[in-house]
């Protein structure tokens, strides 16, 4: 059967990873979380203790090996053989990732790897620039969004469920600030591709979003 490339872009906390993982499983497609790749570079850089320097971080990102090992509940992530699945989700990494992701050399290194992963087709990839830059010819492009209140509230519940502390208002501000930084950066900003379908999930369940996307995939096969 024909295998297509599905690109899912959208702002922070819109549920892209959850949805893309489920759709990927249903279709038997590989799922790539590109946000985890930018988070991995950020984690690696913070671990060096060096001051922020674009050339230094760009060189680091070129030397790293990022791997995904999909499991039932999570997509495990490894950097140079070390598991970073949880380490890349800390508030410190989240607070620094947009700055790292705005570096041209970092984006070149990541996009290169992403395109290689997608060469064979049968892939679902989520991020900010998948439909606009990484796979401009993807057969299906979705721009998944939700109100900032809804996105903050979902993230809040996730954090509380992990037994961690969290302030909803602060989370909302952090999400809005990251969206602003990602949308206003010069290289590959967060933007809906002209031929992407806008899907607002504010009033939809996870299953409804998954079913909607599966139907769109079917139409393209
Ligand atoms: O899961 P969450 O919505 O918090 O974000 P993420 O998908 O893990 O992405 C983290 C950050 O990586 C974003 O805020 C962007 O700065 C950056 N990113 C990017 O620049 N391009 C992508 N294709 C994916 C993520």
């Amino acid at each position: 059967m024909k295998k297509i490339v599905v690109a899912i872009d959208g702002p922070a906390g819109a549920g892209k990873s959850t949805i893309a993982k489920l759709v990927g499983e249903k279709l038997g497609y590989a799922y790539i979380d590109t946000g985890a790749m930018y988070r991995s570079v950020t984690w690696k850089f913070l671990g060096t203790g060096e001051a922020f320097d674009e050339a230094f971080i760009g060189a680091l990102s070129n030397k790293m090996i990022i791997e995904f090992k999909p499991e039932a509940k999570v997509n495990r992530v490894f950097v140079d053989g070390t598991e970073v699945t949880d380490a890349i989700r800390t508030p410190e990494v989240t607070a620094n990732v947009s700055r790292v992701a705005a570096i041209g050399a970092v984006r070149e290194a990541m996009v290169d790897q992403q395109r290689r992963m997608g060469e064979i087709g049968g892939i679902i990839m989520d991020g900010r620039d998948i439909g606009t830059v990484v796979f401009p010819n993807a057969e299906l492009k979705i721009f998944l969004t939700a109100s900032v209140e809804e996105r903050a509230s979902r993230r809040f519940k996730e954090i509380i469920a992990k037994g961690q502390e969290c302030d909803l208002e602060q989370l909302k501000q952090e999400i809005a600030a990251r969206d602003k930084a990602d949308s206003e950066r010069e290289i590959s900003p967060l933007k809906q591709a002209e031929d992407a379908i806008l899907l607002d999930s504010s009033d939809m369940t996870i299953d409804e979003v998954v079913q909607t996307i599966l139907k769109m995939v079917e139409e393209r096969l």
Side-chain angles (χ1 to χ4, degrees):
M1 186 147 68
K2 186 180 157 192
K3 288 197 160 186
I4 65 169
V5 173
V6 182
I8 304 191
D9 290 301
K16 300 183 298 292
S17 324
T18 308
I19 302 291
K21 184 169 179 7
L22 290 168
V23 173
E25 280 166 9
K26 288 265 183 214
L27 294 171
Y29 282 19
Y31 157 55
I32 304 295
D33 174 357
T34 65
M37 298 173 74
Y38 292 96
R39 287 175 176 276
S40 293
V41 177
T42 308
W43 171 83
K44 179 101 182 168
F45 157 61
L46 292 172
T48 66
E50 295 290 326
F52 189 91
D53 178 85
E54 294 203 352
F56 174 72
I57 302 171
L60 261 191
S61 72
N62 262 299
K63 285 188 302 214
M64 298 170 52
I65 297 174
I66 304 172
E67 290 164 303
F68 291 101
K69 293 207 176 116
E71 279 185 9
K73 282 231 162 72
V74 286
N75 243 12
R76 295 171 71 191
V77 188
F78 295 79
V79 171
D80 301 327
T82 300
E83 175 152 27
V84 297
T85 313
D86 294 325
I88 60 171
R89 310 267 163 208
T90 60
E92 200 197 1
V93 169
T94 303
N96 285 281
V97 65
S98 288
R99 210 151 66 116
V100 169
I103 302 171
V106 170
R107 301 208 71 83
E108 271 173 39
M110 295 303 113
V111 170
D112 219 48
Q113 291 191 28
Q114 291 155 12
R115 288 196 179 130
R116 263 184 274 133
M117 292 169 182
E119 261 165 15
I120 39 159
I123 198 161
I124 180 159
M125 199 174 273
D126 88 285
R128 303 291 187 285
D129 59 340
I130 312 306
T132 51
V133 175
V134 183
F135 293 119
N137 297 323
E139 287 89 344
L140 176 59
K141 298 181 188 179
I142 290 157
F143 196 80
L144 186 66
T145 188
S147 68
V148 70
E149 284 75 20
E150 181 61 28
R151 291 186 279 127
S153 144
R154 289 176 188 169
R155 196 47 58 98
F156 180 77
K157 285 179 197 152
E158 264 174 32
I159 295 171
I160 297 296
K162 281 191 202 161
Q164 295 163 358
E165 281 187 29
C166 171
D167 179 286
L168 181 60
E169 200 44 44
Q170 199 186 327
L171 195 61
K172 204 165 114 185
Q173 281 171 21
E174 180 271 310
I175 286 178
R178 194 142 56 89
D179 287 349
K180 185 167 155 46
D182 291 342
S183 308
E184 292 180 354
R185 72 173 174 229
E186 221 161 283
I187 314 166
S188 311
L190 164 65
K191 187 173 87 183
Q192 183 178 343
E194 270 178 31
D195 51 350
I197 301 167
L198 178 67
L199 196 52
D200 186 332
S201 73
S202 301
D203 298 316
M204 292 171 86
T205 63
I206 291 174
D207 191 51
E208 282 170 343
V209 178
V210 170
Q211 295 307 327
T212 304
I213 296 177
L214 286 173
K215 212 177 280 164
M216 291 174 184
V217 172
E218 237 169 66
E219 285 164 11
R220 277 154 185 85
L221 290 178

